[in-house]
Structures are given as C-alpha cells and as structure tokens.
Amino acid sequence: MPNPWTGTGNPYTRAEVIERLNDTLSKGEPIIAAGAGTGISAKFIEKGGADLIIIYNSGRFRMMGHGSTAGMMAYGDANAIAMEIGEFEVLPVVNEIPVICGVHATDPRRRMWHWLLKVKDMGFSGVNNFPTHTIVDGHFRGVLEETGMSVEKEFEMVGLAGRMDMFSIVYVGSPEEAKRMAENGADAIIAHVGTTVGGSIGVTGAVATWDDTIQRTQEIIDAAKSVRDDIFYLCHGGPINTPEDVDRMLSATDCVGFVGASSLERMGVEESLTSLTREFKSVPLKR
C-alpha cells in the first residue's frame, strides 16, 4: 500500500494503519512490530518486511550495549529521547512503514495533549506506552500509584491519542490492564510477560515458564476481548525469543503477531557482528 504522502517518514492515519495490519493478516502473515534504537536498524527492519517500527528510549540504551531496563530508569528524558531518535534517525530513512512513538505518559512535566500534538506533527503514525508502569510491581508500584504517577495516566494517554486519530499499540502486564486499555480504545495490545531472555545482556533468572507465558498471554487477550472484538493481539518478552518461539505462541494463543525489541534488534546485531568478525579473523595471513 503506497504512502499517500511524498517523501519518507510521513504519517498514516489510524484507519490506514489498521487497514495495513488487516491486509497483512489477510495474506496469512503474522504482524511483526520491531523496536528500533537507531536509523540503520529501522532501515533494515523495514527492508525485512516488518509491519510497524516502534521507537522508545530503551532502544537507545539497548544499542549502547546496556539492558533495555535502563529505559525505565532516570537516565534521561524518555519522551525527548524517543522524539530525537524519530526526528534525526528513523523518520528520515524509512519509506512506507508506519513509525510508532513511545510515550512516557506518567511524566508529570508533560501536558499530554500538547505532547501528543508534537508527536503527531513530527510524523509518527501512532503511540506506544513506554516507559510503562505496567511492568513495575511490588511496593514501588504502589508508591507510583499513590503519588500521581499511576498507570491510569497511560490509559488516559491512549484514549487521547485515539481522539487525535493516532493508532495505539500498548504494553500490558495483566488482564485488568488489558481490559482498561480496551476500554480506552487501544488498537493493538501487547501481552508483556517479562524481560526478554538471552543474548549478552538478557535476563537469566526469574523467567516465566512456557506454560505460564502461554497462560498469562491468553488471559490478557480474553480480558480485552470481553470489552471489544476489534483489537490486534501480540506477544512479547520472557522466553519468546526466536521465530520458532513466536510460532509456538501463535499456535497456542489467540495472538496474531509479535513485538521484537531485544530479540530482534539487539540479538541480530550481537550475532551478526560476532560471526562476521570471526570470519574476518579466520582469513589466513599468506606471507
């Protein structure tokens, strides 16, 4: 489907993004969304045929060699970082693929309607709720909820984006959050089952089992389906790391796609650079 605008990195309407995703499903293909922390990642993710590119601050930390969880910490202005990656790296080099902006909706310094106008004006086709408090739990989550930095702000941001004709693809960690996102008009829901396993900086402990991953994902989907029947469901995180893992999830749940960040961008770089460097080093010195 050609972009109705000329040039690169231009936005699609919410209806146009939905049409593109439905077209992918009609071909019997899964929806693949990929996190990109650099322009060159985005350029070749698009070349590989991904349906969406998502930009958020953790991508920058990931491509600096740090764990994606750095994006949840106070190591920079998450909203400004995502905007900067979009403006100077990703939007100038992509052609047809819709680009989604990660929005830190709980940042108390932002007037969210004003920030979303800037996001849309920059050329993003939609929003994602990252950094997200849906993956924070325990006592600290309770403190955030009580002090005005509640996940409710993320639900409100999604509702506001919909009124601004922006597509929304959102992370949730529980059935209750999925239901609230559905009530606020989320177009696509990502069942987030934890930090991605594997690679040089992936987690190795406190990892969800496959049975738990499948069960939690389907519970999230069922909760959202109790509200609406027009949502795209994708999986992410935990042991879901390879194309074979995604095939397992699509077979065992009602997911129709996958969001790859560390499992696609970081691990792709780790594996390819390591292998290519070894090949160069294996060239014999003939003298």
Side-chain angles (χ1 to χ4, degrees), residues 11-230:
Y12 291 93
T13 66
R14 181 172 176 242
E16 287 168 341
V17 177
I18 291 171
E19 182 182 357
R20 288 173 68 94
L21 298 184
N22 279 323
D23 183 58
T24 291
L25 296 180
S26 72
K27 297 174 184 175
E29 300 174 358
I31 295 168
I32 301 299
T38 67
I40 195 165
S41 296
K43 190 173 186 176
F44 288 94
I45 285 168
E46 178 177 32
K47 189 173 182 179
D51 298 285
L52 299 171
I53 288 175
I54 308 176
I55 297 172
Y56 27 58
N57 71 326
S58 66
R60 171 156 291 175
F61 293 109
R62 183 166 57 241
M63 299 310 287
M64 290 168 63
H66 308 302
S68 297
T69 305
M72 295 293 295
M73 305 301 290
Y75 302 147
D77 183 334
N79 284 309
I81 290 171
M83 184 71 81
E84 183 180 78
I85 296 172
E87 180 176 9
F88 298 115
E89 297 191 50
V90 172
L91 291 170
V93 300
V94 300
N95 291 306
E96 296 299 328
I97 190 169
V99 182
I100 308 301
C101 185
V103 175
H104 193 190
T106 59
D107 185 343
R109 304 165 303 166
R110 304 282 183 185
R111 295 167 293 157
M112 195 45 55
W113 65 270
H114 185 248
W115 183 249
L116 292 185
L117 286 173
K118 291 185 176 183
V119 168
K120 186 172 184 178
D121 185 62
M122 183 55 65
F124 289 100
S125 297
V127 298
N128 168 257
N129 61 324
F130 196 91
T132 174
H133 293 181
T134 65
I135 59 176
V136 179
D137 57 15
H139 175 73
F140 184 51
R141 172 68 178 270
V143 171
L144 291 171
E145 294 292 327
E146 289 183 24
T147 54
M149 291 165 279
S150 168
V151 73
E152 189 70 29
K153 298 287 187 181
E154 299 180 32
F155 304 147
E156 292 172 1
M157 183 274 289
V158 169
L160 185 57
R163 293 195 292 276
M164 292 181 172
D165 196 30
M166 300 182 74
F167 180 83
S168 59
I169 175 169
V170 299
Y171 287 116
V172 301
S174 70
E176 295 75 20
E177 291 162 353
K179 188 173 181 180
R180 293 288 286 117
M181 283 297 193
E183 291 169 347
N184 280 272
D187 298 302
I189 287 178
I190 310 162
H192 195 306
V193 294
T195 305
T196 301
V197 176
S200 65
I201 48 178
V203 298
T204 57
V207 177
T209 66
W210 270 110
D211 286 345
D212 184 50
T213 295
I214 290 168
Q215 180 179 340
R216 284 176 58 193
T217 298
Q218 191 59 48
E219 287 174 352
I220 284 170
I221 293 171
D222 289 341
K225 279 187 173 182
S226 71
V227 179
R228 292 182 16 238
D229 60 2
D230 61 345

Side-chain angles (χ1 to χ4, degrees), residues 235-269:
C235 55
H236 174 81
I240 313 167
N241 190 12
T242 66
E244 292 74 23
D245 297 335
V246 173
D247 181 49
R248 182 174 184 174
M249 290 299 295
L250 300 189
S251 300
T253 71
D254 291 335
C255 279
V256 297
F258 168 68
V259 176
S262 295
S263 55
L264 201 158
E265 182 181 38
R266 172 173 63 81
M267 293 184 194
V269 170

